[in-house]
Amino acid sequence: MAESIPFSKQLRIATRDIHSVSDALVNAKLAFALYDNRVWAEGLLIFYDVFKHLEQRVPDDFLPPVLHRSAQFEQDLKFYLGDGWKERHTPKPEVRSYLEHLHRIELENPNLLLAYVYHLYMGLLSGGQILQKRRSLGRRINPFRRGEGSSDGAALTTFEDHSIYELKQRLRKVVDDFGARLDEETRQRMLDESRKVFELNNTIIRTVQGVERANVRIIKYVAVAIMAFIVMQYLVRSGKIF
Protein backbone atom coordinates (compact mmCIF):
# COMPACT_ATOMS: atom_id res chain seq x y z
CA MET A 1 0.00 0.00 0.00
CA ALA A 2 2.76 2.45 0.99
CA GLU A 3 4.61 1.72 -2.25
CA SER A 4 1.66 3.11 -4.23
CA ILE A 5 1.98 6.49 -2.51
CA PRO A 6 4.73 8.76 -3.88
CA PHE A 7 7.61 8.75 -1.43
CA SER A 8 7.64 12.55 -1.18
CA LYS A 9 4.03 12.37 0.02
CA GLN A 10 4.95 9.67 2.53
CA LEU A 11 7.60 12.00 3.94
CA ARG A 12 5.04 14.80 4.25
CA ILE A 13 2.50 12.55 5.95
CA ALA A 14 5.08 11.20 8.40
CA THR A 15 6.05 14.72 9.49
CA ARG A 16 2.68 16.48 9.39
CA ASP A 17 2.33 16.93 13.14
CA ILE A 18 5.88 18.01 13.90
CA HIS A 19 5.88 20.22 10.80
CA SER A 20 2.91 22.08 12.27
CA VAL A 21 4.82 22.54 15.53
CA SER A 22 7.76 23.93 13.57
CA ASP A 23 5.54 26.35 11.65
CA ALA A 24 4.00 27.57 14.91
CA LEU A 25 7.45 28.07 16.42
CA VAL A 26 8.64 30.13 13.45
CA ASN A 27 5.50 32.26 13.51
CA ALA A 28 5.62 32.79 17.26
CA LYS A 29 9.33 33.61 17.32
CA LEU A 30 9.67 35.62 14.14
CA ALA A 31 6.25 37.18 13.51
CA PHE A 32 7.45 40.73 14.16
CA ALA A 33 11.17 40.05 14.04
CA LEU A 34 10.97 39.41 10.30
CA TYR A 35 11.47 43.14 9.93
CA ASP A 36 14.61 43.32 12.06
CA ASN A 37 17.78 42.84 10.02
CA ARG A 38 19.85 41.49 12.89
CA VAL A 39 17.31 38.84 13.78
CA TRP A 40 16.82 37.92 10.13
CA ALA A 41 20.58 37.61 9.66
CA GLU A 42 20.86 35.34 12.69
CA GLY A 43 18.09 33.18 11.27
CA LEU A 44 20.08 32.86 8.05
CA LEU A 45 23.29 32.15 9.92
CA ILE A 46 21.97 29.18 11.90
CA PHE A 47 20.94 27.41 8.69
CA TYR A 48 23.93 28.44 6.57
CA ASP A 49 26.23 25.71 7.87
CA VAL A 50 23.55 23.04 7.47
CA PHE A 51 22.81 23.89 3.83
CA LYS A 52 26.52 24.22 3.09
CA HIS A 53 27.21 20.80 4.59
CA LEU A 54 24.52 19.16 2.47
CA GLU A 55 25.74 20.84 -0.70
CA GLN A 56 29.26 19.63 -0.04
CA ARG A 57 28.26 16.06 0.80
CA VAL A 58 25.18 15.15 -1.27
CA PRO A 59 25.71 14.11 -4.92
CA ASP A 60 24.24 16.27 -7.67
CA ASP A 61 21.83 13.47 -8.60
CA PHE A 62 20.11 13.94 -5.24
CA LEU A 63 20.73 17.67 -4.83
CA PRO A 64 20.81 19.37 -8.26
CA PRO A 65 23.23 22.33 -8.43
CA VAL A 66 20.36 24.60 -9.47
CA LEU A 67 19.10 24.27 -5.89
CA HIS A 68 22.44 25.05 -4.23
CA ARG A 69 22.19 28.08 -1.97
CA SER A 70 25.55 28.42 -0.21
CA ALA A 71 26.64 31.34 -2.40
CA GLN A 72 23.30 33.08 -1.88
CA PHE A 73 23.49 32.59 1.88
CA GLU A 74 26.93 34.18 1.81
CA GLN A 75 25.74 37.07 -0.35
CA ASP A 76 22.87 37.87 2.02
CA LEU A 77 24.99 37.46 5.13
CA LYS A 78 27.57 39.86 3.72
CA PHE A 79 24.76 42.35 3.08
CA TYR A 80 23.49 42.11 6.65
CA LEU A 81 26.69 41.47 8.60
CA GLY A 82 29.31 43.19 6.46
CA ASP A 83 32.70 42.11 5.16
CA GLY A 84 34.58 39.67 7.32
CA TRP A 85 31.48 37.94 8.69
CA LYS A 86 32.95 34.53 7.85
CA GLU A 87 36.02 35.19 9.96
CA ARG A 88 33.80 36.21 12.87
CA HIS A 89 31.40 33.30 12.46
CA THR A 90 31.46 30.34 14.83
CA PRO A 91 28.54 27.89 14.63
CA LYS A 92 26.46 27.68 17.79
CA PRO A 93 26.66 24.47 19.86
CA GLU A 94 23.17 23.50 18.65
CA VAL A 95 24.25 23.92 15.03
CA ARG A 96 27.39 21.87 15.67
CA SER A 97 25.20 19.12 17.14
CA TYR A 98 23.06 19.26 14.00
CA LEU A 99 26.15 18.86 11.80
CA GLU A 100 27.46 16.02 13.96
CA HIS A 101 24.15 14.21 13.50
CA LEU A 102 24.40 14.63 9.73
CA HIS A 103 27.89 13.17 9.86
CA ARG A 104 26.71 10.17 11.90
CA ILE A 105 23.85 9.27 9.59
CA GLU A 106 26.11 9.71 6.57
CA LEU A 107 28.39 7.06 8.05
CA GLU A 108 25.38 4.81 8.61
CA ASN A 109 23.86 5.36 5.16
CA PRO A 110 24.60 8.45 3.01
CA ASN A 111 21.18 8.14 1.38
CA LEU A 112 19.55 9.24 4.64
CA LEU A 113 20.76 12.77 3.92
CA LEU A 114 18.08 12.95 1.24
CA ALA A 115 15.48 13.39 3.99
CA TYR A 116 17.23 16.62 4.97
CA VAL A 117 17.57 17.74 1.37
CA TYR A 118 13.88 17.24 0.75
CA HIS A 119 12.52 18.97 3.83
CA LEU A 120 15.02 21.84 4.00
CA TYR A 121 14.95 22.78 0.34
CA MET A 122 11.21 22.26 0.03
CA GLY A 123 10.87 24.50 3.07
CA LEU A 124 12.97 27.15 1.36
CA LEU A 125 10.81 26.88 -1.76
CA SER A 126 7.58 27.07 0.25
CA GLY A 127 7.62 28.72 3.67
CA GLY A 128 10.86 30.53 2.87
CA GLN A 129 9.19 32.27 -0.05
CA ILE A 130 6.27 33.34 2.13
CA LEU A 131 8.53 34.71 4.86
CA GLN A 132 10.58 36.67 2.33
CA LYS A 133 7.44 38.16 0.74
CA ARG A 134 6.16 39.21 4.15
CA ARG A 135 9.54 40.70 4.94
CA SER A 136 9.73 42.56 1.61
CA LEU A 137 6.23 43.97 2.10
CA GLY A 138 7.06 45.08 5.62
CA ARG A 139 10.22 46.82 4.44
CA ARG A 140 8.38 48.65 1.67
CA ILE A 141 5.80 50.10 4.04
CA ASN A 142 8.18 50.67 6.96
CA PRO A 143 8.73 54.45 7.24
CA PHE A 144 11.82 53.86 9.39
CA ARG A 145 13.82 51.86 6.85
CA ARG A 146 17.17 53.33 5.90
CA GLY A 147 17.65 53.37 2.16
CA GLU A 148 17.19 49.64 1.59
CA GLY A 149 15.28 48.29 -1.36
CA SER A 150 12.72 45.58 -0.70
CA SER A 151 14.83 43.07 -2.66
CA ASP A 152 18.16 43.81 -0.95
CA GLY A 153 19.45 40.87 1.05
CA ALA A 154 17.01 38.45 -0.60
CA ALA A 155 19.35 36.38 -2.76
CA LEU A 156 18.61 33.21 -0.81
CA THR A 157 14.99 33.04 -1.88
CA THR A 158 15.55 34.30 -5.43
CA PHE A 159 15.77 31.57 -8.07
CA GLU A 160 16.50 33.22 -11.39
CA ASP A 161 15.59 31.44 -14.63
CA HIS A 162 13.58 28.79 -12.78
CA SER A 163 10.05 28.89 -11.42
CA ILE A 164 9.41 27.77 -7.87
CA TYR A 165 6.89 25.25 -9.19
CA GLU A 166 9.48 23.75 -11.53
CA LEU A 167 12.04 23.39 -8.75
CA LYS A 168 9.54 21.78 -6.40
CA GLN A 169 8.51 19.28 -9.04
CA ARG A 170 12.14 18.46 -9.76
CA LEU A 171 12.87 17.84 -6.10
CA ARG A 172 9.77 15.69 -5.67
CA LYS A 173 10.78 13.60 -8.67
CA VAL A 174 14.24 12.99 -7.22
CA VAL A 175 12.70 11.79 -3.96
CA ASP A 176 9.93 9.76 -5.59
CA ASP A 177 12.31 7.98 -7.97
CA PHE A 178 14.64 7.17 -5.11
CA GLY A 179 11.81 6.01 -2.85
CA ALA A 180 10.56 3.59 -5.48
CA ARG A 181 13.84 1.65 -5.19
CA LEU A 182 13.99 1.45 -1.39
CA ASP A 183 13.69 -1.66 0.71
CA GLU A 184 11.28 -1.47 3.64
CA GLU A 185 13.97 -1.04 6.30
CA THR A 186 15.61 1.91 4.55
CA ARG A 187 12.22 3.41 3.78
CA GLN A 188 11.35 3.40 7.49
CA ARG A 189 14.73 4.90 8.41
CA MET A 190 14.08 7.70 5.94
CA LEU A 191 10.67 8.35 7.48
CA ASP A 192 12.16 8.38 10.98
CA GLU A 193 14.94 10.70 9.89
CA SER A 194 12.39 13.04 8.33
CA ARG A 195 10.96 13.71 11.76
CA LYS A 196 14.47 14.30 13.07
CA VAL A 197 14.88 17.09 10.50
CA PHE A 198 12.17 19.13 12.19
CA GLU A 199 13.37 18.30 15.70
CA LEU A 200 16.82 19.66 14.85
CA ASN A 201 15.39 22.64 12.98
CA ASN A 202 13.25 23.56 15.97
CA THR A 203 16.25 23.30 18.28
CA ILE A 204 18.35 25.77 16.30
CA ILE A 205 15.43 28.14 15.64
CA ARG A 206 14.96 28.47 19.40
CA THR A 207 18.51 29.85 19.68
CA VAL A 208 17.75 32.97 17.62
CA GLN A 209 18.36 36.00 19.82
CA GLY A 210 16.97 39.52 19.73
CA VAL A 211 13.39 38.54 18.94
CA GLU A 212 12.00 40.30 22.00
CA ARG A 213 13.95 43.47 21.17
CA ALA A 214 12.70 43.39 17.60
CA ASN A 215 9.12 42.80 18.66
CA VAL A 216 9.23 45.72 21.10
CA ARG A 217 10.63 47.99 18.41
CA ILE A 218 7.93 47.04 15.91
CA ILE A 219 5.23 47.53 18.54
CA LYS A 220 6.63 51.02 19.19
CA TYR A 221 6.51 51.77 15.46
CA VAL A 222 2.89 50.63 15.31
CA ALA A 223 2.01 52.67 18.39
CA VAL A 224 3.57 55.81 16.87
CA ALA A 225 1.64 55.26 13.64
CA ILE A 226 -1.63 54.80 15.52
CA MET A 227 -1.04 57.92 17.61
CA ALA A 228 -0.22 59.93 14.48
CA PHE A 229 -3.43 58.71 12.87
CA ILE A 230 -5.49 59.61 15.95
CA VAL A 231 -3.96 63.10 16.13
CA MET A 232 -4.58 63.64 12.42
CA GLN A 233 -8.21 62.58 12.79
CA TYR A 234 -8.64 64.93 15.75
CA LEU A 235 -7.18 67.88 13.85
CA VAL A 236 -9.37 67.21 10.83
CA ARG A 237 -12.54 66.92 12.89
CA SER A 238 -11.74 70.01 14.93
CA GLY A 239 -11.25 72.01 11.75
CA LYS A 240 -7.65 72.88 12.53
CA ILE A 241 -6.45 71.43 9.24
CA PHE A 242 -8.25 70.99 5.95
Side-chain angles (χ1 to χ4, degrees):
M1 178 65 179
E3 288 76 3
S4 65
I5 302 174
F7 193 50
S8 60
K9 186 172 183 179
Q10 292 181 46
L11 295 179
R12 293 198 303 275
I13 293 172
T15 57
R16 188 172 291 160
D17 58 336
I18 195 168
H19 193 168
S20 297
V21 171
S22 186
D23 287 345
L25 176 62
V26 170
N27 288 330
K29 199 163 183 68
L30 301 179
F32 290 111
L34 282 172
Y35 315 117
D36 183 284
N37 282 351
R38 284 175 290 179
V39 175
W40 184 258
E42 187 172 353
L44 296 179
L45 203 56
I46 59 172
F47 281 103
Y48 164 68
D49 294 291
V50 176
F51 277 77
K52 183 178 179 181
H53 180 92
L54 292 173
E55 290 169 12
Q56 290 175 337
R57 306 299 300 174
V58 177
D60 291 350
D61 289 347
F62 281 174
L63 180 50
V66 68
L67 287 171
H68 286 196
R69 295 283 95 187
S70 292
Q72 287 76 16
F73 265 106
E74 292 170 4
Q75 181 179 335
D76 285 351
L77 287 167
K78 180 179 179 180
F79 174 80
Y80 292 117
L81 302 178
D83 293 330
W85 70 267
K86 278 189 179 182
E87 290 72 19
R88 300 189 299 271
H89 171 53
T90 300
K92 294 181 177 183
E94 293 83 359
V95 176
R96 291 200 298 271
S97 294
Y98 198 139
L99 298 176
E100 288 166 3
H101 179 76
L102 294 180
H103 179 66
R104 285 195 299 272
I105 64 170
E106 184 180 6
L107 292 177
E108 175 192 345
N109 183 347
N111 292 331
L112 294 176
L113 292 177
L114 185 57
Y116 291 82
V117 169
Y118 177 73
H119 289 297
L120 286 169
Y121 286 83
M122 194 61 77
L124 187 59
L125 293 167
S126 300
Q129 298 295 314
I130 295 172
L131 290 176
Q132 184 60 63
K133 287 177 181 177
R134 287 170 56 189
R135 178 169 165 77
S136 296
L137 175 61
R139 291 166 74 185
R140 282 199 299 271
I141 65 177
N142 180 5
F144 300 94
R145 73 178 187 274
R146 301 176 180 177
E148 296 177 8
S150 60
S151 62
D152 292 333
L156 178 63
T157 51
T158 302
F159 292 84
E160 297 179 356
D161 304 322
H162 296 277
S163 72
I164 297 300
Y165 175 80
E166 172 195 348
L167 294 173
K168 285 183 177 180
Q169 289 299 99
R170 184 168 180 176
L171 185 53
R172 288 191 186 105
K173 186 176 188 308
V174 168
V175 172
D176 291 341
D177 289 350
F178 175 72
R181 305 191 300 268
L182 288 179
D183 59 80
E184 187 56 36
E185 181 180 355
T186 306
R187 180 188 302 275
Q188 188 57 52
R189 279 293 290 117
M190 287 280 290
L191 294 173
D192 293 341
E193 206 58 45
S194 286
R195 296 184 62 82
K196 189 68 175 179
V197 176
F198 291 97
E199 291 177 12
L200 292 170
N201 287 351
N202 292 348
T203 297
I204 62 175
I205 289 170
R206 289 189 179 98
T207 69
V208 174
Q209 301 296 312
V211 174
E212 291 77 12
R213 179 201 69 242
N215 289 349
V216 168
R217 190 175 74 173
I218 295 300
I219 290 171
K220 287 181 179 178
Y221 289 169
V222 172
V224 169
I226 291 173
M227 287 301 298
F229 177 77
I230 292 173
V231 170
M232 183 65 69
Q233 289 294 307
Y234 169 76
L235 293 174
V236 169
R237 291 175 181 175
S238 64
K240 294 182 179 180
I241 63 172
F242 300 93

